[in-house]
Amino acid sequence: MSTASPATPDPVYKVLAVDDEAICRRLLELHLRRLGYTPVMAGSVAEARQILTPEARPSFLCVLTDFRMPGESGMELLAWLQREDPTLACVLLTAPTDRQIVLDALR
């Protein structure tokens, strides 16, 4: 019987979390650290774009983004990422249970 522990994330890879609410960013940051990731936080889509330069993108495992934010939305960040680097995974986070959001994100 094997007693191997589950794989631990490689700390070299970072996860970008984008949320306009400071408390949500802090909670995401603490949770990602606890899971063994290196979190990088952004308060807006514009800030996320500044972080996700072509040179920096390979060091990110994925992007977690809030859907509803002032200015540009998480969906706009997702569309930009699809154009710039379709290999970088992006997860949209949202509280509302709106099926149309899910359908739009899958497109």
Side-chain angles (χ1 to χ4, degrees):
M1 187 160 111
S2 173
T3 59
S5 63
T8 305
D10 187 338
V12 171
Y13 287 105
K14 299 177 281 191
V15 174
L16 176 61
V18 186
D19 199 303
D20 61 307
E21 295 184 37
I23 189 71
C24 291
R25 285 194 308 274
R26 184 67 178 141
L27 289 171
L28 283 167
E29 179 181 17
L30 291 171
H31 190 65
L32 289 167
R33 274 193 206 290
R34 198 169 310 142
L35 292 172
Y37 295 100
T38 301
V40 176
M41 311 312 289
S44 67
V45 171
E47 190 178 345
R49 285 185 177 139
Q50 289 176 339
I51 293 168
L52 291 171
T53 64
E55 300 79 27
R57 278 186 222 130
S59 69
F60 283 92
L61 183 62
C62 71
V63 175
L64 304 175
T65 182
D66 187 17
F67 175 76
R68 296 185 195 275
M69 292 184 282
E72 294 178 281
S73 71
M75 190 69 79
E76 290 167 298
L77 178 58
L78 173 62
W80 178 80
L81 278 172
Q82 284 298 305
R83 289 189 306 272
E84 297 295 316
D85 185 353
T87 65
L88 183 57
C90 184
V91 177
L92 283 170
L93 307 172
T94 187
T97 55
D98 185 343
R99 289 182 183 191
Q100 191 59 47
I101 292 171
V102 174
L103 294 173
D104 290 344
L106 290 173
R107 283 189 212 131

